[in-house]
Coordinates of all heavy atoms in Angstrom, one line a residue:
M251 N 1.7 6.7 0.1 CA 1.6 5.3 0.4 C 0.3 4.9 0.6 O -0.2 4.0 -0.1 CB 2.5 5.1 1.8 CG 2.4 3.7 2.2 SD 3.3 2.6 1.3 CE 3.2 1.3 2.2
I252 N -0.6 5.7 1.3 CA -2.1 5.3 1.6 C -2.7 5.5 0.3 O -3.6 4.7 -0.1 CB -2.6 6.2 2.7 CG1 -2.0 5.8 4.1 CG2 -4.1 6.1 2.7 CD1 -2.5 6.5 5.2
R253 N -2.3 6.5 -0.4 CA -3.0 6.7 -1.6 C -2.9 5.7 -2.6 O -3.8 5.2 -3.4 CB -2.4 8.0 -2.3 CG -3.1 8.6 -3.5 CD -2.5 9.9 -3.8 NE -3.0 10.5 -5.0 CZ -2.7 11.5 -5.6 NH1 -1.7 12.3 -5.1 NH2 -3.3 12.0 -6.6
G254 N -1.7 4.9 -2.8 CA -1.4 3.8 -3.6 C -2.2 2.7 -3.2 O -2.7 1.8 -4.0
L255 N -2.1 2.3 -1.8 CA -2.8 1.2 -1.3 C -4.4 1.4 -1.6 O -4.9 0.4 -2.0 CB -2.6 1.1 0.1 CG -1.3 0.7 0.6 CD1 -1.0 0.6 2.2 CD2 -0.9 -0.8 0.1
L256 N -4.9 2.5 -1.4 CA -6.4 2.8 -1.6 C -6.7 2.6 -3.1 O -7.6 1.9 -3.4 CB -6.7 4.2 -1.2 CG -8.2 4.6 -1.0 CD1 -8.8 3.7 0.1 CD2 -8.2 6.0 -0.7
A257 N -5.8 3.0 -4.0 CA -6.0 2.8 -5.5 C -5.9 1.4 -5.9 O -6.9 0.8 -6.5 CB -5.1 3.7 -6.2
V258 N -5.0 0.6 -5.2 CA -4.8 -0.8 -5.6 C -6.0 -1.6 -5.1 O -6.4 -2.4 -5.9 CB -3.4 -1.3 -5.1 CG1 -3.3 -2.8 -5.2 CG2 -2.2 -0.7 -5.9
F259 N -6.4 -1.3 -4.0 CA -7.6 -2.2 -3.3 C -8.8 -1.8 -4.1 O -9.5 -2.8 -4.4 CB -7.7 -1.8 -1.8 CG -8.6 -2.6 -1.1 CD1 -8.4 -3.9 -0.8 CD2 -10.0 -2.3 -1.0 CE1 -9.3 -4.8 -0.2 CE2 -10.9 -3.1 -0.3 CZ -10.6 -4.3 0.0
G260 N -8.8 -0.5 -4.5 CA -10.2 -0.1 -5.2 C -10.2 -0.8 -6.6 O -11.3 -1.3 -7.0
I261 N -9.1 -0.8 -7.1 CA -9.1 -1.5 -8.6 C -9.3 -2.9 -8.5 O -10.1 -3.5 -9.3 CB -7.6 -1.2 -9.3 CG1 -7.6 0.3 -9.6 CG2 -7.6 -2.2 -10.5 CD1 -6.2 0.7 -10.2
V262 N -8.7 -3.6 -7.5 CA -9.0 -5.1 -7.3 C -10.4 -5.3 -7.0 O -11.1 -6.2 -7.4 CB -8.2 -5.7 -6.0 CG1 -8.6 -7.0 -5.6 CG2 -6.6 -5.7 -6.6
E263 N -11.1 -4.5 -6.2 CA -12.5 -4.6 -5.8 C -13.4 -4.2 -7.0 O -14.5 -4.9 -7.2 CB -12.8 -3.6 -4.6 CG -14.0 -3.9 -3.9 CD -14.1 -3.2 -2.7 OE1 -13.6 -2.2 -2.4 OE2 -15.0 -3.7 -1.7
L264 N -12.9 -3.3 -7.9 CA -13.7 -3.2 -9.1 C -13.6 -4.3 -10.0 O -14.7 -4.7 -10.7 CB -13.2 -1.9 -9.8 CG -13.8 -0.6 -9.5 CD1 -13.0 0.5 -10.1 CD2 -15.1 -0.5 -9.9
L265 N -12.5 -4.9 -10.3 CA -12.3 -6.0 -11.3 C -12.6 -7.4 -10.8 O -13.1 -8.1 -11.6 CB -10.9 -6.0 -11.7 CG -10.3 -4.8 -12.3 CD1 -8.9 -4.8 -12.7 CD2 -11.2 -4.4 -13.7
F266 N -12.5 -7.7 -9.5 CA -12.7 -8.9 -9.0 C -13.6 -9.0 -7.7 O -13.1 -9.5 -6.6 CB -11.4 -9.6 -8.8 CG -10.4 -9.7 -9.8 CD1 -9.3 -8.8 -9.8 CD2 -10.7 -10.5 -10.9 CE1 -8.6 -8.7 -10.9 CE2 -9.8 -10.5 -12.0 CZ -8.7 -9.7 -12.1
P267 N -14.8 -8.4 -7.7 CA -15.5 -8.4 -6.3 C -15.9 -9.6 -5.9 O -15.9 -9.9 -4.6 CB -16.7 -7.5 -6.8 CG -16.9 -7.8 -8.2 CD -15.5 -7.9 -8.8
D268 N -16.3 -10.6 -6.6 CA -16.7 -11.9 -6.1 C -15.5 -12.7 -5.4 O -15.7 -13.1 -4.3 CB -17.3 -12.8 -7.2 CG -18.6 -12.3 -7.8 OD1 -19.4 -11.7 -6.9 OD2 -18.8 -12.5 -9.0
Q269 N -14.4 -12.6 -6.1 CA -13.2 -13.3 -5.4 C -12.7 -12.7 -4.2 O -12.4 -13.3 -3.2 CB -12.0 -13.3 -6.5 CG -12.3 -14.2 -7.6 CD -13.0 -13.4 -8.9 OE1 -13.6 -12.4 -8.7 NE2 -13.0 -14.0 -10.1
L270 N -12.8 -11.4 -4.2 CA -12.4 -10.6 -3.0 C -13.4 -10.9 -1.9 O -13.0 -11.0 -0.7 CB -12.3 -9.0 -3.2 CG -11.8 -8.2 -2.1 CD1 -10.4 -8.5 -1.8 CD2 -12.1 -6.8 -2.4
V271 N -14.8 -10.9 -2.1 CA -15.7 -11.1 -1.1 C -15.5 -12.5 -0.5 O -15.5 -12.8 0.7 CB -17.1 -10.9 -1.6 CG1 -18.1 -11.4 -0.5 CG2 -17.4 -9.4 -1.7
D272 N -15.2 -13.5 -1.4 CA -15.0 -14.9 -1.0 C -13.8 -15.0 -0.1 O -13.9 -15.6 0.9 CB -14.9 -15.7 -2.2 CG -16.3 -16.0 -2.9 OD1 -17.4 -15.8 -2.2 OD2 -16.2 -16.4 -4.0
A273 N -12.7 -14.3 -0.5 CA -11.5 -14.4 0.2 C -11.7 -13.8 1.6 O -11.2 -14.4 2.6 CB -10.3 -13.8 -0.5
L274 N -12.2 -12.5 1.7 CA -12.4 -11.9 2.9 C -13.3 -12.6 3.9 O -13.2 -12.6 5.1 CB -12.8 -10.4 2.7 CG -11.7 -9.5 2.0 CD1 -12.2 -8.3 1.8 CD2 -10.5 -9.5 2.9
T275 N -14.3 -13.3 3.3 CA -15.2 -14.1 4.1 C -14.6 -15.2 4.8 O -14.8 -15.6 6.0 CB -16.5 -14.5 3.2 OG1 -17.1 -13.4 2.7 CG2 -17.4 -15.4 4.1
R276 N -13.7 -15.8 4.0 CA -12.9 -17.0 4.6 C -12.1 -16.6 5.6 O -11.9 -17.4 6.6 CB -12.2 -17.7 3.5 CG -13.0 -18.6 2.6 CD -12.3 -19.5 1.8 NE -11.3 -18.8 0.9 CZ -11.4 -18.4 -0.3 NH1 -12.5 -18.6 -0.8 NH2 -10.5 -17.9 -1.0
V277 N -11.5 -15.4 5.5 CA -10.5 -14.9 6.6 C -11.4 -14.5 7.9 O -11.0 -14.6 8.9 CB -9.7 -13.7 6.0 CG1 -9.0 -12.9 7.1 CG2 -8.8 -14.1 4.9
A278 N -12.4 -13.8 7.6 CA -13.2 -13.2 8.8 C -14.0 -14.1 9.6 O -14.2 -14.0 10.9 CB -14.1 -12.2 8.2
Y279 N -14.4 -15.3 9.0 CA -15.3 -16.2 9.7 C -14.7 -17.6 9.8 O -13.9 -18.0 8.9 CB -16.6 -16.4 9.0 CG -17.4 -15.1 8.9 CD1 -17.5 -14.3 7.8 CD2 -18.1 -14.6 10.0 CE1 -18.1 -13.1 7.7 CE2 -18.8 -13.5 10.0 CZ -18.8 -12.6 8.9 OH -19.5 -11.4 8.8
E280 N -14.9 -18.3 10.9 CA -14.4 -19.7 11.1 C -14.9 -20.7 10.1 O -14.3 -21.4 9.5 CB -14.8 -20.1 12.5 CG -14.0 -19.4 13.5 CD -14.3 -20.0 15.0 OE1 -14.9 -21.0 15.1 OE2 -13.8 -19.3 15.9
D281 N -16.3 -20.5 9.7 CA -16.9 -21.3 8.7 C -17.3 -20.5 7.5 O -18.2 -20.6 6.9 CB -18.2 -21.9 9.2 CG -18.0 -22.9 10.4 OD1 -17.0 -23.5 10.4 OD2 -19.0 -22.9 11.3
G282 N -16.2 -19.8 7.0 CA -16.4 -18.9 5.9 C -16.7 -19.6 4.6 O -17.3 -19.1 3.7
D283 N -16.1 -20.9 4.4 CA -16.4 -21.6 3.1 C -17.9 -22.0 3.1 O -18.4 -22.2 1.9 CB -15.6 -22.9 3.2 CG -14.1 -22.6 3.2 OD1 -13.8 -21.6 2.5 OD2 -13.3 -23.3 3.5
E284 N -18.6 -22.1 4.2 CA -19.9 -22.5 4.0 C -20.9 -21.2 3.9 O -22.1 -21.5 3.7 CB -20.4 -23.2 5.4 CG -19.5 -24.3 5.7 CD -19.8 -25.2 7.0 OE1 -20.9 -24.6 7.7 OE2 -19.2 -26.1 7.3
M285 N -20.5 -20.1 4.1 CA -21.4 -18.9 4.0 C -21.4 -18.4 2.4 O -20.4 -18.5 1.8 CB -20.8 -17.9 4.8 CG -20.8 -18.1 6.2 SD -20.2 -16.6 7.2 CE -21.1 -17.0 8.7
T286 N -22.4 -17.8 2.1 CA -22.6 -17.3 0.7 C -23.1 -15.9 0.9 O -24.0 -15.6 1.7 CB -23.7 -18.2 -0.1 OG1 -24.9 -18.3 0.6 CG2 -23.2 -19.5 -0.3
A287 N -22.7 -14.9 0.0 CA -23.1 -13.6 0.2 C -24.3 -13.4 -0.6 O -24.7 -14.1 -1.5 CB -21.9 -12.8 -0.4
K288 N -25.1 -12.4 -0.3 CA -26.3 -12.1 -1.1 C -25.9 -11.6 -2.3 O -24.9 -11.0 -2.5 CB -27.2 -11.1 -0.2 CG -27.6 -11.7 1.2 CD -28.7 -11.0 1.6 CE -29.2 -11.6 3.0 NZ -30.6 -11.8 3.2
P289 N -26.9 -11.5 -3.3 CA -26.4 -11.1 -4.6 C -26.0 -9.6 -4.7 O -25.3 -9.2 -5.6 CB -27.8 -11.3 -5.5 CG -28.6 -12.2 -4.6 CD -28.2 -12.2 -3.2
W290 N -26.5 -8.8 -3.8 CA -26.3 -7.3 -3.9 C -24.9 -6.9 -3.4 O -24.4 -5.9 -3.6 CB -27.4 -6.5 -3.2 CG -27.6 -7.0 -1.7 CD1 -28.5 -7.8 -1.3 CD2 -26.9 -6.5 -0.5 NE1 -28.4 -8.0 0.1 CE2 -27.4 -7.1 0.5 CE3 -25.6 -5.6 -0.3 CZ2 -26.8 -6.9 1.8 CZ3 -25.3 -5.5 0.9 CH2 -25.8 -6.2 2.0
V291 N -24.3 -8.0 -2.7 CA -22.9 -7.7 -2.3 C -21.9 -7.3 -3.3 O -21.1 -6.5 -3.2 CB -22.5 -8.9 -1.3 CG1 -21.1 -8.6 -1.0 CG2 -23.5 -9.0 -0.1
T292 N -22.0 -8.1 -4.5 CA -21.1 -7.7 -5.5 C -21.2 -6.3 -6.0 O -20.2 -5.7 -6.4 CB -21.3 -8.8 -6.7 OG1 -21.1 -10.0 -6.2 CG2 -20.4 -8.7 -7.8
T293 N -22.5 -5.9 -6.2 CA -22.6 -4.5 -6.6 C -22.1 -3.5 -5.6 O -21.4 -2.5 -6.1 CB -24.2 -4.4 -6.8 OG1 -24.7 -5.2 -7.8 CG2 -24.4 -2.9 -7.3
V294 N -22.4 -3.6 -4.3 CA -21.9 -2.8 -3.4 C -20.3 -2.8 -3.4 O -19.7 -1.7 -3.1 CB -22.5 -3.1 -2.0 CG1 -21.9 -2.3 -1.0 CG2 -24.0 -2.9 -2.0
A295 N -19.7 -3.9 -3.5 CA -18.3 -4.1 -3.5 C -17.7 -3.2 -4.7 O -16.6 -2.5 -4.5 CB -17.8 -5.5 -3.6
R296 N -18.3 -3.4 -5.9 CA -17.8 -2.7 -7.1 C -17.9 -1.1 -6.8 O -17.1 -0.3 -7.2 CB -18.6 -3.0 -8.3 CG -18.1 -4.2 -8.9 CD -18.4 -4.3 -10.3 NE -17.8 -5.4 -10.9 CZ -18.3 -6.5 -11.3 NH1 -19.6 -6.6 -11.4 NH2 -17.6 -7.4 -11.9
I297 N -19.1 -0.6 -6.3 CA -19.4 0.7 -6.0 C -18.3 1.2 -4.9 O -17.6 2.4 -5.1 CB -20.9 1.0 -5.3 CG1 -21.8 0.8 -6.4 CG2 -20.9 2.4 -4.7 CD1 -23.2 0.8 -5.8
E298 N -18.0 0.4 -3.8 CA -16.9 0.7 -2.9 C -15.7 0.9 -3.5 O -14.8 1.6 -3.2 CB -17.0 -0.3 -1.7 CG -15.9 0.1 -0.7 CD -15.9 -1.0 0.4 OE1 -15.8 -2.3 -0.1 OE2 -16.0 -0.7 1.6
G299 N -15.3 -0.1 -4.5 CA -14.0 0.1 -5.1 C -13.9 1.3 -5.9 O -12.8 1.9 -6.0
A300 N -15.0 1.7 -6.6 CA -15.0 3.0 -7.4 C -14.7 4.2 -6.6 O -14.0 5.1 -6.9 CB -16.3 3.2 -8.3
V301 N -15.4 4.1 -5.3 CA -15.3 5.3 -4.5 C -13.7 5.3 -4.0 O -13.2 6.4 -3.8 CB -16.3 5.1 -3.3 CG1 -15.8 6.1 -2.1 CG2 -17.6 5.4 -3.7
F302 N -13.2 4.2 -3.7 CA -11.7 4.1 -3.3 C -10.8 4.7 -4.4 O -10.0 5.4 -4.0 CB -11.3 2.7 -2.8 CG -11.9 2.2 -1.6 CD1 -11.7 0.9 -1.2 CD2 -12.5 3.0 -0.6 CE1 -12.2 0.4 0.1 CE2 -12.9 2.6 0.5 CZ -12.8 1.4 0.9
V303 N -11.1 4.2 -5.7 CA -10.4 4.8 -6.7 C -10.5 6.3 -6.8 O -9.5 7.1 -7.0 CB -10.6 4.0 -8.0 CG1 -9.9 4.7 -9.2 CG2 -10.1 2.6 -7.9
F304 N -11.7 6.8 -6.8 CA -11.9 8.2 -6.7 C -11.2 8.9 -5.7 O -10.6 9.9 -5.9 CB -13.5 8.5 -6.7 CG -13.8 9.9 -6.7 CD1 -13.7 10.7 -7.8 CD2 -14.1 10.6 -5.5 CE1 -14.1 12.1 -7.8 CE2 -14.4 11.9 -5.4 CZ -14.4 12.7 -6.6
L305 N -11.3 8.4 -4.5 CA -10.7 9.2 -3.3 C -9.1 9.1 -3.5 O -8.5 10.2 -3.3 CB -10.9 8.4 -2.1 CG -12.5 8.6 -1.6 CD1 -12.7 7.7 -0.3 CD2 -12.8 10.0 -1.2
A306 N -8.6 8.0 -4.0 CA -7.2 7.9 -4.2 C -6.7 8.9 -5.2 O -5.6 9.5 -5.0 CB -6.7 6.4 -4.5
L307 N -7.5 9.1 -6.3 CA -7.0 9.9 -7.3 C -7.3 11.5 -7.1 O -6.5 12.2 -7.6 CB -7.8 9.5 -8.7 CG -7.3 8.1 -9.3 CD1 -8.2 7.9 -10.4 CD2 -5.9 8.1 -9.6
F308 N -8.4 11.8 -6.5 CA -8.8 13.1 -6.5 C -8.7 13.8 -4.9 O -8.6 15.1 -5.0 CB -10.1 13.3 -7.0 CG -10.2 12.9 -8.5 CD1 -10.9 11.9 -8.8 CD2 -9.5 13.7 -9.5 CE1 -10.8 11.4 -10.1 CE2 -9.4 13.3 -10.8 CZ -10.2 12.2 -11.1
V309 N -9.0 13.1 -3.9 CA -9.2 13.7 -2.6 C -8.1 13.5 -1.7 O -7.5 14.5 -1.0 CB -10.6 13.1 -2.0 CG1 -10.7 13.6 -0.7 CG2 -11.7 13.3 -2.9
V310 N -7.4 12.3 -1.6 CA -6.4 11.9 -0.6 C -5.2 12.9 -0.9 O -4.6 13.5 0.1 CB -6.0 10.4 -0.7 CG1 -4.8 10.2 0.3 CG2 -7.2 9.7 -0.1
G311 N -4.8 13.0 -2.1 CA -3.5 13.9 -2.4 C -3.8 15.3 -2.1 O -2.9 15.9 -1.6
R312 N -5.0 15.9 -2.2 CA -5.2 17.3 -2.1 C -5.3 17.5 -0.6 O -4.9 18.6 0.0 CB -6.5 17.7 -2.8 CG -6.2 17.7 -4.3 CD -7.4 18.4 -4.9 NE -7.1 18.4 -6.4 CZ -7.9 18.0 -7.3 NH1 -9.1 17.6 -6.9 NH2 -7.7 18.0 -8.5
R313 N -5.9 16.7 0.2 CA -6.0 16.8 1.7 C -4.8 16.6 2.4 O -4.6 17.3 3.3 CB -7.1 15.9 2.2 CG -8.6 16.2 1.7 CD -9.4 16.3 2.8 NE -10.5 17.0 2.4 CZ -11.7 17.0 3.1 NH1 -11.7 16.4 4.2 NH2 -12.7 17.7 2.7
C314 N -4.1 15.7 2.0 CA -2.8 15.3 2.8 C -1.6 16.0 2.2 O -0.6 15.7 2.9 CB -2.7 13.8 2.8 SG -4.0 12.9 3.7
G315 N -1.8 16.6 1.2 CA -0.4 17.2 0.5 C 0.0 16.2 -0.5 O -0.3 15.1 -0.5
S316 N 0.9 16.7 -1.3 CA 1.4 15.9 -2.4 C 2.5 14.9 -1.7 O 3.1 15.1 -0.7 CB 2.0 16.4 -3.5 OG 3.1 17.3 -3.1
D317 N 2.7 13.7 -2.3 CA 3.8 12.9 -2.0 C 5.2 13.4 -2.1 O 6.2 12.9 -1.5 CB 3.8 11.5 -2.8 CG 2.3 10.9 -2.4 OD1 1.8 11.0 -1.3 OD2 2.0 9.9 -3.3
D318 N 5.4 14.5 -3.0 CA 6.7 15.0 -3.3 C 7.2 15.9 -2.2 O 8.3 16.2 -2.1 CB 6.5 15.9 -4.5 CG 6.3 15.0 -5.7 OD1 6.5 13.8 -5.7 OD2 5.7 15.5 -6.8
E319 N 6.4 16.3 -1.3 CA 6.8 17.3 -0.2 C 7.6 16.6 0.9 O 7.4 15.6 1.3 CB 5.6 18.0 0.4 CG 5.0 18.9 -0.6 CD 3.8 19.8 0.0 OE1 3.9 20.1 1.2 OE2 2.9 20.0 -0.8

């Protein structure tokens, strides 16, 4: 379950970092519509998404055991 959520969130973050940052900013702050992210935030979001996908595919399953057990 966690593995799937991590993979889905990572893929969304890889493909749509600007939209995700905008949506989460609006949720997290009262005046989120007025805030703008710095240019490097998109790059960091993509890197984070790639790390999440990597963890979901290679690390989480091995550490926590397989979903079949």
Side-chain angles (χ1 to χ4, degrees):
M251 176 78 175
I252 289 179
R253 190 175 180 180
L255 290 173
L256 197 60
V258 168
F259 189 78
I261 290 169
V262 169
E263 201 167 20
L264 271 170
L265 297 177
F266 309 106
D268 291 324
Q269 293 88 340
L270 184 66
V271 169
D272 289 342
L274 293 178
T275 301
R276 284 193 306 270
V277 169
Y279 298 101
E280 289 181 11
D281 295 329
D283 292 331
E284 298 177 8
M285 297 186 155
T286 56
K288 297 202 178 213
W290 54 266
V291 172
T292 300
T293 304
V294 172
R296 280 205 170 114
I297 292 169
E298 182 182 51
V301 169
F302 284 170
V303 170
F304 175 80
L305 290 173
L307 294 177
F308 299 109
V309 177
V310 173
R312 291 194 178 125
R313 291 232 162 165
C314 298
S316 67
D317 294 334
D318 296 335
E319 291 183 39

